[in-house]
Amino acid sequence: MSSSNTNVQITDLDFNSIKSNFITYLQNQDTFKDYNFQGSALSVLLDVLAYNTQYNAYYLNMVANEMFLDSALQRSSVVSQAKALGYVPASAVAPTAYINFTGRGITTSSFTIPKFSNFMSEAIGGVNYNFVTIDSTTVPVTSGIATITNLELKQGIPVNFNFTVNSTSNPTYTFEIPDPNIDTSTIQVLVQQSVSNTAYDVYTQTQNYLTLNGTSKVYFLQESINGNYQISFGNGVLGQQLSDGNIVKVSYVATDGSAATGANNFVYMNSSPNLGSYVITPQIAASQGKNKESVDSIKFQAPKSYAAQGRAVTKEDYISLLQQNNLGISFDAVNVWGGEENNPPIYGQVFMSLKPTGGYVLTETQKQRLIQNTIKPYSVLTVEPTIVDPDYTYLQITCNVLYDPKKTTLNAGSIQNVVANAINNFALSTLNTFNSTFKSSDLVNIIQNSNQSIITNEISVKVQKKFYPKLGSANSYKLYYGVPLQQGTFLSGIYNTPSFSYNDPTGTISDVYIQEIPSSTSGIQSISVINPGYGYQTPPTVTINGDGSGATATAVLNGNGSIKEIVVVTPGSGYTTAFVTITNASNDTTGALGAGIVNLIGQFGTLELYYNNPNIASTKVILNNNIGSIDYTNGVVYLNAFNPVNVNNPLGELTITGTPTTSIISSSYNRIVTVDQFDPTAIIVNVTAKTS
Amino acid sequence: MANLKNLYTDIDLTFNRLPVTNDIALSYDEQSVIRAVRNLLLTNFYDRPFQPTLGSNIDKLLFEPASGVTASAIKDEIINVINNYEPRASVNSVVVNPSPDTNSFNVTLQLFIGNNTLPTTFNLILQRSR
């Protein structure tokens, strides 16, 4: 915009800048001099010209933005860019539930539940959803009873569309399905010869063009410019060409996406004349539903899909292929690694761990289908793909919050909710996926910032493994916590919730618990100060009591009368449990409240089963003194020949909780660190109001 | 009148052609300023892009009763818009006479333009056209 520039600058997007550029240009000539006066005719013309220029510049800028995948905002533009990369945006995915169906009083020799049979779910968020079968299932009938196990139900309503082929009005043989709720994994396309000739061919979807010829019965799927899906057919070279009068019959399921996640109880809505009564046993609640792929997701996935080039070679290739599977299985998180990274290494295998959307693990059938249909066709021949279930480590977070009631209108209960929500959001956004790291410092900051009235907060974290022990048979379990565990003392140690029943020679004992006994060969490793106390004038005496002998330690004070540290002088020997007593020196009358806990030497501990003695209060009866072991350093709990009769929990789930030695908990390979959203004890918030 | 010696040069919004040079007609000095004042009086608020305060409210006042009160309001508008947006002119006097029979106002405007010592006088009839 220098005054010596004789070229007019019109590249600005701001009206005032453009107008001032015009004025700068006019300053270089003598014919017109009134450009600076707003009432002048020249100013009127400049306004019109500047407005027009600005309008065009803005329009051009928008057009240019829409031309590139990174800057495009319109869905149609992003989809068009993705199309050039060979990427088909994912449709909504219907949640899938599995049930066992037992029909009784059947008079025929076989029993069939036809395709698209309707089942009504329980109310989810006040809405009863319709579920349908995707395929017809037939089973033999024995004594009037037919049992169908693991019957797959998908949420949605079956829809049919018929299109008549007319090459004059539709020379590209492209048919748009005007339904934004389509689940494309359920599309079935039949082409009927004509109205009078009802013979038909089944056409299948293809994205692999190398094997096509002029008679391949295939269709191509793509998202159209207005956001619907369209199917198109071959031109006689790549795929069979249609002819006039053919009738294209498209059927699919229109779904509500993830809305019906969690549905687990169903009622059979179709009537079968041969069916007397039926019983439906829920197997797996509806999960893996997903809404239509978002613009952001398309921008993220399309280049990766292009980079994979339809081949599974690198880690990213596997992730991209799995995310794009057209089997109607959706994932929150995917991790892939080579078997050589395992301990011990397993060469020649690729491991994949998948967290399905809204669920925890995939069914065996889904794993097989993913490997056979999604990975095997693209993977290197000698590499064996293997899917392993995610291994969840749950965090139990206890948070103590001190807040100033003068700085907020919220009461203690509301503050509690605010903090609990902040922790939940942190867990959902930061954890809950592979290769994530929990840092307690981050969480402390988030809690601190969750409300302005919070003065300070502290958190303590425990780690939990949840599993379903096989009842009535002795099995071994290995629970990998992924973080070093603290040795058990009187204040910390692993414990189980709920209790369980266990057999002993006299019968079944209910309410049995697990406790740990740290193995110790040489004594006390260190003593941690848990309360520095106050008012000490001289270092207090530290006494170590326990089942071993010979351990001694001394306390060291800091400058203001509190205990700075406790130094172990002699480790002693033979300790399995020990605790510290701190007594004031004889001439010290003011010192108080100092306390410490003992950390025993040894990497391993033993696990025992006990129950509380019903006859003598506060005493334990050991039922089994070696039910397993605990590896503190590697954070692993082993249960050997563990044979509970029953777990005191309707689901039969047993939780074993330990205390980590570090506040940084990372996950790798197939491990996921998360907070159980369904466990009311997973987040405990204690709120204290500042009184003065 | 023409003693400013082409200090101000503006395009003429009538876009007439000069017969001799075939060039577009220009307006100079007093003529240019008077045209500018007229443009300002005929511009409503929000007429010009991105400059909502430029112009006057006269258009709306023309739909008020053709009375002395309205005439007074129009006079204020005229003085304000010239003071705000036309630095080349200062108002000497404005006389607005309502003409109820024709629903119009006769405006006689006396301006000092530039450094001229004598005021320039011109008349306008403001009448609503719709």
Side-chain angles (χ1 to χ4, degrees):
Chain A
M1 282 185 280
S2 75
S3 58
S4 62
N5 190 354
T6 52
N7 294 323
V8 62
Q9 300 280 319
I10 56 163
T11 51
D12 266 301
L13 284 174
D14 176 58
F15 174 84
N16 288 325
S17 307
I18 294 168
K19 193 176 173 188
S20 75
N21 289 344
F22 284 141
I23 291 173
T24 306
Y25 174 72
L26 287 174
Q27 281 168 350
N28 294 322
Q29 51 80 51
D30 291 329
T31 315
F32 301 108
K33 296 172 185 167
D34 287 2
Y35 40 77
N36 267 332
F37 303 112
Q38 284 161 306
S40 67
L42 202 55
S43 180
V44 173
L45 291 181
L46 285 182
D47 274 355
V48 172
L49 190 52
Y51 186 49
N52 188 42
T53 307
Q54 188 250 359
Y55 194 95
N56 276 322
Y58 180 78
Y59 179 71
L60 194 63
N61 185 53
M62 284 293 140
V63 169
N65 274 347
E66 293 301 313
M67 287 169 67
F68 299 97
L69 190 62
D70 287 323
S71 52
L73 293 172
Q74 296 253 43
R75 185 179 179 96
S76 55
S77 310
V78 174
V79 168
S80 179
Q81 297 291 338
K83 192 188 282 183
L85 298 174
Y87 182 75
V88 182
S91 72
V93 177
T96 309
Y98 292 87
I99 57 166
N100 288 351
F101 185 96
T102 308
R104 299 179 198 281
I106 301 169
T107 51
T108 51
S109 61
S110 68
F111 177 70
T112 299
I113 289 198
K115 181 183 175 181
F116 289 158
S117 293
N118 293 298
F119 289 78
M120 184 64 76
S121 80
E122 66 202 296
I124 304 288
V127 180
N128 296 88
Y129 289 95
N130 194 63
F131 280 69
V132 292
T133 52
I134 295 300
D135 292 309
S136 172
T137 309
T138 302
V139 290
V141 175
T142 311
S143 310
I145 298 173
T147 306
I148 303 175
T149 52
N150 282 328
L151 181 63
E152 186 182 66
L153 303 180
K154 283 193 180 275
Q155 188 276 319
I157 295 164
V159 182
N160 293 294
F161 273 106
N162 289 355
F163 304 97
T164 304
V165 177
N166 182 334
S167 59
T168 312
S169 62
N170 184 4
T172 58
Y173 303 108
T174 301
F175 305 96
E176 184 167 320
I177 303 165
D179 191 339
N181 298 325
I182 184 171
D183 176 351
T184 55
S185 69
T186 62
I187 292 183
Q188 190 178 52
V189 176
L190 306 177
V191 177
Q192 187 177 314
Q193 290 301 315
S194 65
V195 177
S196 53
N197 182 356
T198 55
Y200 65 84
D201 290 311
V202 177
Y203 278 59
T204 53
Q205 188 192 339
T206 184
Q207 287 184 331
N208 184 356
Y209 310 121
L210 295 176
T211 56
L212 297 185
N213 58 35
T215 57
S216 305
K217 304 259 186 298
V218 293
Y219 68 89
F220 308 95
L221 186 74
Q222 188 53 257
E223 187 174 321
S224 69
I225 198 159
N226 52 17
N228 291 326
Y229 281 90
Q230 61 185 23
I231 57 172
S232 53
F233 291 86
N235 56 3
V237 178
L238 283 177
Q240 170 91 45
Q241 190 172 26
L242 301 183
S243 48
D244 283 354
N246 284 166
I247 297 171
V248 177
K249 296 184 158 189
V250 181
S251 67
Y252 60 88
V253 170
T255 178
D256 294 292
S258 58
T261 300
N264 203 20
N265 293 301
F266 300 94
V267 179
Y268 185 42
M269 301 301 286
N270 288 36
S271 58
S272 299
N274 302 322
L275 179 64
S277 63
Y278 68 87
V279 175
I280 291 176
T281 318
Q283 291 299 304
I284 299 176
S287 63
Q288 299 169 26
K290 211 169 187 179
N291 296 332
K292 193 174 177 181
E293 187 168 12
S294 68
V295 170
D296 286 339
S297 172
I298 298 171
K299 283 184 178 182
F300 181 76
Q301 290 286 349
K304 290 170 182 55
S305 156
Y306 180 65
Q309 293 277 337
R311 290 287 174 269
V313 180
T314 67
K315 174 181 172 173
E316 292 300 322
D317 296 351
Y318 277 87
I319 292 176
S320 179
L321 282 169
L322 287 166
Q323 293 279 21
Q324 270 188 68
N325 76 78
N326 55 4
L327 303 172
I329 306 173
S330 62
F331 308 107
D332 282 341
V334 177
N335 199 23
V336 176
W337 68 97
E340 76 282 359
E341 293 180 28
N342 276 10
N343 184 17
I346 303 170
Y347 296 102
Q349 284 195 23
V350 168
F351 288 88
M352 297 165 277
S353 195
L354 310 159
K355 181 186 181 303
T357 306
Y360 287 112
V361 290
L362 293 169
T363 64
E364 286 307 315
T365 320
Q366 287 177 326
K367 288 181 198 168
Q368 286 307 318
R369 282 162 65 189
L370 275 172
I371 287 178
Q372 290 307 325
N373 301 328
T374 305
I375 297 299
K376 274 272 185 180
Y378 305 106
S379 69
V380 178
L381 282 175
T382 52
V383 173
E384 185 64 31
T386 310
I387 295 181
V388 291
D389 284 335
D391 183 14
Y392 294 90
T393 299
Y394 297 93
L395 300 182
Q396 189 186 44
I397 298 170
T398 308
C399 176
N400 298 321
V401 173
L402 178 69
Y403 80 103
D404 185 347
K406 290 175 190 155
K407 286 190 178 167
T408 178
T409 55
L410 300 177
N411 60 19
S414 303
I415 295 276
Q416 215 168 10
N417 283 339
V418 166
V419 172
N421 283 338
I423 297 174
N424 244 329
N425 290 339
F426 169 81
L428 284 176
S429 60
T430 313
L431 306 175
N432 217 19
T433 185
F434 298 102
N435 298 323
S436 62
T437 301
F438 169 81
K439 287 178 277 184
S440 64
S441 57
D442 285 356
L443 184 56
V444 165
N445 279 336
I446 282 169
I447 295 169
Q448 190 71 39
N449 295 329
S450 63
N451 191 285
Q452 59 183 9
S453 68
I454 294 175
I455 298 166
T456 184
N457 76 86
E458 59 175 6
I459 59 171
S460 65
V461 177
K462 290 188 183 295
V463 284
Q464 298 181 320
K465 297 301 281 191
K466 301 187 177 193
F467 69 109
Y468 297 90
K470 205 167 181 187
L471 304 177
S473 67
N475 285 284
S476 295
Y477 301 92
K478 180 182 178 185
L479 308 175
Y480 189 97
Y481 285 79
V483 60
L485 296 173
Q486 271 187 22
Q487 293 180 12
T489 66
F490 290 107
L491 295 170
S492 65
I494 73 157
Y495 60 89
N496 60 295
T497 43
S499 61
F500 48 86
S501 311
Y502 212 87
N503 280 337
D504 83 336
T506 62
T508 302
I509 312 279
S510 55
D511 287 336
V512 177
Y513 300 91
I514 297 174
Q515 69 174 5
E516 67 176 272
I517 303 296
S519 309
S520 177
T521 50
S522 45
I524 311 286
Q525 184 171 39
S526 64
I527 298 173
S528 309
V529 178
I530 56 168
N531 188 343
Y534 62 89
Y536 290 107
Q537 293 162 351
T538 52
T541 308
V542 179
T543 316
I544 298 164
N545 298 309
D547 51 4
S549 63
T552 56
T554 56
V556 179
L557 297 183
N558 62 13
N560 52 19
S562 296
I563 298 171
K564 182 179 159 196
E565 60 177 334
I566 297 174
V567 181
V568 175
V569 180
T570 320
S573 63
Y575 287 98
T576 58
T577 60
F579 60 92
V580 175
T581 313
I582 295 178
T583 43
N584 291 3
S586 56
N587 55 354
D588 187 351
T589 53
T590 55
L593 285 183
I597 56 169
V598 170
N599 301 314
L600 296 167
I601 292 174
Q603 185 187 342
F604 295 97
T606 310
L607 298 177
E608 292 182 342
L609 296 183
Y610 74 91
Y611 60 94
N612 291 318
N613 192 332
N615 303 320
I616 309 167
S618 304
T619 55
K620 296 173 179 176
V621 180
I622 304 297
L623 189 65
N624 182 331
N625 65 3
N626 188 0
I627 193 67
S629 60
I630 175 166
D631 177 345
Y632 296 111
T633 314
N634 295 315
V636 189
V637 166
Y638 301 89
L639 289 171
N640 301 324
F642 184 58
N643 184 9
V645 180
N646 189 28
V647 177
N648 296 332
N649 170 321
L651 297 172
E653 186 183 63
L654 189 61
T655 303
I656 302 213
T657 307
T659 309
T661 57
T662 165
S663 56
I664 300 170
I665 302 169
S666 298
S667 66
S668 54
Y669 301 126
N670 65 328
R671 290 188 281 280
I672 294 180
V673 177
T674 187
V675 173
D676 192 347
Q677 304 292 317
F678 303 107
D679 182 358
T681 62
I683 298 172
I684 299 166
V685 181
N686 303 314
V687 176
T688 316
K690 189 185 173 196
T691 48
S692 58
Chain B
M1 172 168 143
N3 57 3
L4 291 173
K5 297 176 185 166
N6 295 352
L7 187 59
Y8 309 124
T9 330
D10 197 4
I11 202 164
D12 189 338
L13 277 183
T14 56
F15 297 113
N16 285 332
R17 179 166 67 101
L18 292 177
V20 180
T21 61
N22 273 341
D23 210 344
I24 196 162
L26 301 180
S27 56
Y28 296 95
D29 300 333
E30 286 85 354
Q31 178 72 16
S32 151
V33 175
I34 289 168
R35 289 281 170 86
V37 168
R38 206 186 64 166
N39 283 342
L40 285 172
L41 297 185
L42 298 181
T43 304
N44 298 320
F45 297 140
Y46 291 95
D47 268 4
R48 303 270 284 269
F50 302 103
Q51 300 161 89
T53 59
L54 178 62
S56 66
N57 203 24
I58 290 172
D59 191 70
K60 197 174 177 188
L61 291 171
L62 292 180
F63 286 82
E64 298 293 324
S67 65
V69 175
T70 312
S72 171
I74 290 176
K75 181 182 168 184
D76 289 346
E77 283 289 319
I78 292 172
I79 294 170
N80 281 340
V81 73
I82 293 174
N83 287 343
N84 288 338
Y85 294 107
E86 190 43 88
R88 294 170 293 183
S90 61
V91 180
N92 187 30
S93 75
V94 181
V95 178
V96 181
N97 288 319
S99 170
D101 293 341
T102 57
N103 264 327
S104 61
F105 296 86
N106 296 321
V107 181
T108 306
L109 202 52
Q110 262 194 359
L111 302 172
F112 287 109
I113 293 175
N115 292 326
N116 288 354
T117 50
L118 291 175
T120 306
T121 304
F122 69 101
N123 293 310
L124 278 171
I125 296 173
L126 296 172
Q127 186 177 25
R128 70 193 199 203
S129 58
R130 59 182 169 84

